[in-house]
Amino acid sequence: MSVGIAILGSTGSIGRSTLRVLERQSDRFHTVALTAFESADELEVQARETGARLVGLVSRSGNSRASGFAQRQKWLHGRECLVEAATHPDVGIVVNAIVGAAGLEATIAALSEGKRVALANKESLVMAGDVVMRAAKDGGGELVPIDSEHSGVLQCLAGQTSNSLSRLILTASGGPFRNWPLEKVKNATVDQALAHPTWKMGPKITIDSATLANKALEVIEAHFLFGLSYDDIQVVVHPQSIVHAFTEFVDGSILSQLGFPDMELPILYALTYPERIDDSGVRRFDPVAAGDLTFEPLRRDAFPTFSHGVRAGRMGGTATAVFNAANEVAVHRFLNGKITFGKISEVIDVTLSSHEVRPADSIESVLEADRWARVEAERSCS
Ligand code: NAD
Ligand code: MG
């Protein structure tokens, strides 16, 4: 039977890749709901092409398509559309491809309703890992990562007994400033930071990849998904982005999933997990074309944001929500030319250092920490 899909953030990089995967797999899946922040024109085209019945535009300033061009389509405006799409009765899988904290509510709502959430929006798990995992357990939902590193780990865990996982080594491309001297990194421009060497992604995660905040977010994501302590989650720089992670088992054996950097494969796997299905659209691997695979340590001095993120993970409770919020504020300010690249890590450090950690055991406590951190981070930006 064909499974109904909601794509939250369908106009973004992951959203568009998901639509390409679904187009090839139209006998297994059909698109029920689409949402975007403000790209009304693109959303309208997507809605027409997929036949989605529920279409949501978060920003109320966009053109009103409320009348719809087809009678059977329902257009919603405002952020409520996210939960409505995520909990639609005809939806079996929610692809959460929203960027940032805005994705949290929909992740929790979908899991509470027993849906599968194919999660690209790592920020929801970083902010509220315990709440999200509990929502899945209590609601009967299922969280399947789209992030390539975590998808790689999940694929290596297939068929293993529980408790056999002992350690993860996540790979990081190192971003555009991997070899830059420390002082030069601090003054990198927006254009330089947006020029990622291996992945084409939305602007926020591209900056996160340049500061390596993204890798810290992924360490925290792995902690919640796979239940490992922070001592057992390490990171190595691998500029070619071919090996997505090393998954170590208790006997010392290592398994890895490999592939060219292309998000369509982890998206497909998150939809079909634990099954694998044929997809001729995914670029096939060629070891000779991949060339030399190299590994080097992460330069913590040049990328202090990474250490602040892992520190937040170890602090636990509301600290990860604070790290995430301060990072979002600082990245936004950097992209608007208001602060330097080097200031991003300073803003995060100051905000995290002045935070009094509380248990992150409810959505309210997480959102309260998020709000507090945004105010503090804005203050230290100016
Ligand atoms: P993007 O900026 O290209 O797209 C973001 C999408 O979210 C857009 O459709 C936008 O309309 C929507 N959106 C933005 N703000 C919103 C808000 N306030 N409310 C509702 N919707 C909003 O981002 P992306 O690169 O596709 O990344 C999306 C998520 O996937 C991020 O969490 C990112 O970390 C994660 N991710 C991305 C990649 C990648 O290759 N792009 C890889 C791994 C993980
Ligand atoms: Mg990743």
Side-chain angles (χ1 to χ4, degrees), residues 122 147-150 171 199 205 214-215 218 221 263:
K122 63 191 90 180
D147 222 342
S148 55
E149 297 78 0
H150 306 72
T171 57
W199 293 97
I205 182 175
N214 183 51
K215 214 42 64 177
E218 292 184 355
E221 183 184 9
M263 291 309 293

Side-chain angles (χ1 to χ4, degrees), residues 36-340:
F37 185 67
E38 60 187 354
S39 320
D41 292 336
E42 182 177 354
L43 192 61
E44 185 167 352
V45 172
Q46 290 180 346
R48 189 171 341 130
E49 287 176 355
T50 59
R53 275 166 282 147
L54 187 75
V55 191
L57 200 55
V58 171
S59 166
R60 291 181 189 270
S61 61
N63 291 347
S64 175
R65 303 297 205 273
S67 58
F69 49 84
Q71 293 300 325
R72 55 192 184 83
Q73 224 165 40
K74 182 172 164 195
W75 278 74
L76 297 173
H77 292 256
R79 57 190 279 262
E80 305 74 39
C81 72
L82 301 176
V83 168
E84 185 136 350
T87 57
H88 191 288
D90 297 342
V91 166
I93 305 178
V94 176
V95 177
N96 190 341
I98 295 172
V99 60
L104 175 62
E105 214 185 340
T107 296
I108 292 174
L111 292 171
S112 304
E113 293 276 317
K115 317 273 189 204
R116 170 178 296 188
V117 175
L119 188 75
N121 179 249
K122 63 191 90 180
E123 294 91 342
S124 23
L125 201 52
V126 167
M127 290 174 76
D130 287 331
V131 179
V132 168
M133 299 311 283
R134 195 175 350 116
K137 196 160 169 263
D138 295 348
E142 189 184 21
L143 196 61
V144 186
I146 283 181
D147 222 342
S148 55
E149 297 78 0
H150 306 72
S151 174
V153 172
L154 188 67
Q155 294 181 52
C156 293
L157 290 178
Q160 305 290 338
T161 51
S162 58
N163 299 333
S164 61
L165 175 66
S166 66
R167 186 171 62 119
L168 295 178
I169 308 172
L170 306 179
T171 57
S173 72
F177 311 137
R178 179 172 62 92
N179 289 323
W180 283 29
L182 180 58
E183 283 311 311
K184 200 176 161 201
V185 174
K186 284 185 181 164
N187 294 307
T189 66
V190 171
D191 285 347
Q192 288 168 332
L194 284 175
H196 196 276
T198 51
W199 293 97
K200 272 199 180 54
M201 312 175 285
K204 192 259 178 181
I205 182 175
T206 305
I207 302 303
D208 285 351
S209 301
T211 61
L212 289 173
N214 183 51
K215 214 42 64 177
L217 294 170
E218 292 184 355
V219 166
I220 300 167
E221 183 184 9
H223 165 79
F224 286 115
L225 281 174
F226 303 115
L228 288 178
S229 76
Y230 286 99
D231 287 341
D232 295 327
I233 307 170
Q234 289 147 17
V235 169
V236 69
V237 171
H238 168 46
Q240 299 82 19
S241 303
I242 299 286
V243 177
H244 300 315
F246 294 97
T247 305
E248 187 193 68
F249 295 91
V250 283
D251 60 358
S253 188
I254 296 267
L255 295 185
S256 281
Q257 184 261 339
L258 279 68
F260 288 125
D262 178 355
M263 291 309 293
E264 292 188 28
L265 181 60
I267 291 168
L268 176 71
Y269 189 69
L271 297 174
T272 65
Y273 169 83
E275 250 191 277
R276 291 185 184 278
I277 63 171
D278 185 31
D279 189 330
S280 56
V282 170
R283 186 181 169 200
R284 298 289 144 158
F285 191 59
D286 173 353
V288 176
D292 290 342
L293 304 185
T294 59
F295 301 92
E296 55 195 69
L298 190 154
R299 292 167 51 216
R300 284 180 178 247
D301 61 334
F303 303 103
T305 306
F306 173 77
S307 301
H308 299 323
V310 176
R311 179 175 127 221
R314 289 180 185 277
M315 286 161 74
T318 47
T320 54
V322 167
F323 169 70
N324 179 66
N327 181 52
E328 284 189 28
V329 167
V331 169
H332 185 72
R333 288 291 190 128
F334 171 70
L335 282 169
N336 288 331
K338 301 283 194 252
I339 62 171
T340 62

